[in-house]
Amino acid sequence: MEKRVVITGLGAITPIGKNVGETWKGIQEKKCGIDKITLFDTTNFKTSLAAEVKEYDATKYFETKQTKRLDRSSQFAIIAAKEAFQDSGLTEENTDFERVGVFISSGIGGLKTLQEQCEVNCIKGNNRVSPMFIPMTIANMPAGNVAIELGAKGESISIVTACASSTHAIGEAYKTIQYGSEDVILAGGTEASICEVGMAGFENMKALSSSKNKNRASIPFDKERSGFVMGEGAGVLVLEELEHAKKRGANIYAEVIGYGATSDAYHITSPAPNGEGGARAMKRAIEDANMKPEEIDYINAHGTSTYLNDSCETMAIKSALGEASKKVMVSSTKGNIGHLLGAAGGVEAIFCAKAIENNIIPPTIHYEVKDEECDLDIVPNEVRKAEVKVAMSNSLGFGGHNSSIILKKFEK
């Protein structure tokens, strides 16, 4: 018999908050975390805006020695995971840590460290490259570092599927617990790629918005959208087998009931025509949840603010939900926090859990110009109070990776 999986802990560090409470308050206050880049000199770049984690001081979280051994992406992962872990109330007295896993993903890994050490190699020579270069750079290290920090001795993996990474991580964690392999898994993602080489790569791909107005840079579903805004941060959720959670009296935010993943098998960056790959992922999630499309109240869309993503995702939602797409509430929170790449799905799953908990729908902020191709109810500009029993979160990644998860209000 398949086991039920619930969410018992949440943790985040984002461009609008140092934790889940601050971040969720920022969503309700329609806060925009996008501003001028401070992490490097943008003089030679067309792009001048990003969504950075504000006033971040690593020494407030880690000893000085640790800060030199942890890439920024691993630091964010540990901060979010420790918050989620503490929030969950897990202890060695109520949990077997040999059955606690860590599924924390990163789309790119330690990109800033990679850039810095390549510069060292070219300028100072190979014998000056840091011995911590590889452990700080590889994309699995956020998961590994979190496992070390918390003493989690179950399965520890990092799924790298670009911007779908952390939704895949949550989905696979859900299945792993459902099948009985682990009791608890910390799942989500982290990213810290706001650096010269990262910005140059996306800019030269013409994927980024070059707007100088922070309120018109990341504008999902708006007809004037011109590209995404890079963000950074981490979002981690504690997924737990229901009976294990009940036995220790855990607080339950929501239940995970569905997961779907597909491949476009079409193009390295562009989504498949009509969003058919994303539609299949949503349909799989709905089928896995054993529910009808009309039961979904809210969708946190991938909604990157690029022309192709938003129009194709709109078509995908229409295809997957049929007539129900006319009533479902859909919003993108990337106007608030930018696009956190591999961490996006982790933070957005938290938004879905909070929407269910509080019956509050995050708005799509800074929406001004209607696009006839994006004609869903995108909850424009204002927070909406409405009952949310079921929420879906979509993530779509370069390489044609599509993932969708479905959360439901917990019922005993």
Side-chain angles (χ1 to χ4, degrees), residues 313-336:
E313 190 173 7
T314 298
M315 289 185 278
I317 291 170
K318 289 181 178 180
S319 174
L321 271 65
E323 283 296 308
S325 65
K326 296 178 181 179
K327 296 182 178 181
V328 70
M329 294 173 284
V330 180
S331 68
S332 171
T333 42
K334 289 183 173 65
N336 304 93

Side-chain angles (χ1 to χ4, degrees), residues 129-308:
V129 171
S130 170
M132 296 303 297
F133 167 50
I134 299 301
M136 289 177 69
T137 304
I138 50 181
N140 68 297
M141 288 311 293
N145 282 314
V146 166
I148 293 167
E149 186 77 21
L150 300 179
K153 297 182 178 180
E155 186 176 358
S156 177
I157 63 173
S158 181
I159 298 169
V160 181
T161 50
C163 303
S165 296
S166 49
T167 300
H168 273 122
I170 296 166
E172 294 299 329
Y174 154 63
K175 287 298 180 183
T176 299
I177 297 172
Q178 188 180 58
Y179 296 153
S181 299
E182 303 287 1
D183 295 329
V184 178
I185 298 177
L186 286 90
T190 185
E191 206 77 85
S193 298
I194 302 175
C195 60
E196 291 92 331
V197 70
M199 197 64 67
F202 282 116
E203 185 177 277
N204 293 341
M205 193 190 295
K206 303 189 184 306
L208 297 178
S209 170
S210 58
S211 174
K212 304 301 180 185
N213 180 352
K214 69 178 186 178
N215 295 325
R216 294 296 291 164
S218 180
I219 47 174
F221 304 113
D222 191 298
K223 195 166 188 174
E224 294 182 354
R225 64 190 184 278
S226 59
F228 74 82
V229 173
M230 198 183 304
E232 64 173 1
V236 176
L237 302 86
V238 174
L239 272 59
E240 187 169 356
E241 192 272 322
L242 174 59
E243 294 306 315
H244 187 277
K246 287 167 63 176
K247 185 177 180 180
R248 64 182 192 84
N251 174 56
I252 296 174
Y253 287 98
E255 182 173 2
V256 185
I257 62 169
Y259 169 52
T262 63
S263 174
D264 284 352
Y266 173 71
H267 190 271
I268 57 172
T269 57
S270 297
N274 304 317
E276 66 88 18
R280 284 188 288 110
M282 283 183 267
K283 289 175 181 177
R284 285 189 176 189
I286 293 168
E287 181 180 356
D288 185 48
N290 192 28
M291 67 187 306
K292 298 177 181 178
E294 54 266 31
E295 294 180 77
I296 298 173
D297 300 303
Y298 168 61
I299 298 175
N300 188 291
H302 191 56
T304 60
S305 185
T306 64
Y307 171 74
L308 282 176

Side-chain angles (χ1 to χ4, degrees), residues 20-64:
V20 170
E22 288 183 9
T23 298
W24 183 241
K25 182 182 179 184
I27 289 292
Q28 295 177 79
E29 294 176 349
K30 302 178 289 183
K31 187 176 180 179
C32 177
I34 297 166
D35 213 328
K36 290 184 178 179
I37 294 170
T38 65
L39 293 173
F40 65 91
D41 183 0
T42 62
T43 300
N44 296 323
F45 288 80
K46 296 178 182 177
T47 307
S48 60
L49 299 175
E52 301 175 352
V53 171
K54 308 297 186 293
E55 299 176 352
Y56 176 68
D57 181 357
T59 61
K60 291 183 178 180
Y61 300 93
F62 306 97
E63 295 179 359
T64 302

Side-chain angles (χ1 to χ4, degrees), residues 3 19 48 70 92 105 120 156 163-164 192 200 216 236 238 254 271 350:
K3 299 177 182 293
N19 52 50
S48 60
L70 295 170
E92 291 184 356
S105 294
V120 168
S156 177
C163 303
R216 294 296 291 164
V236 176
V238 174
I350 290 173

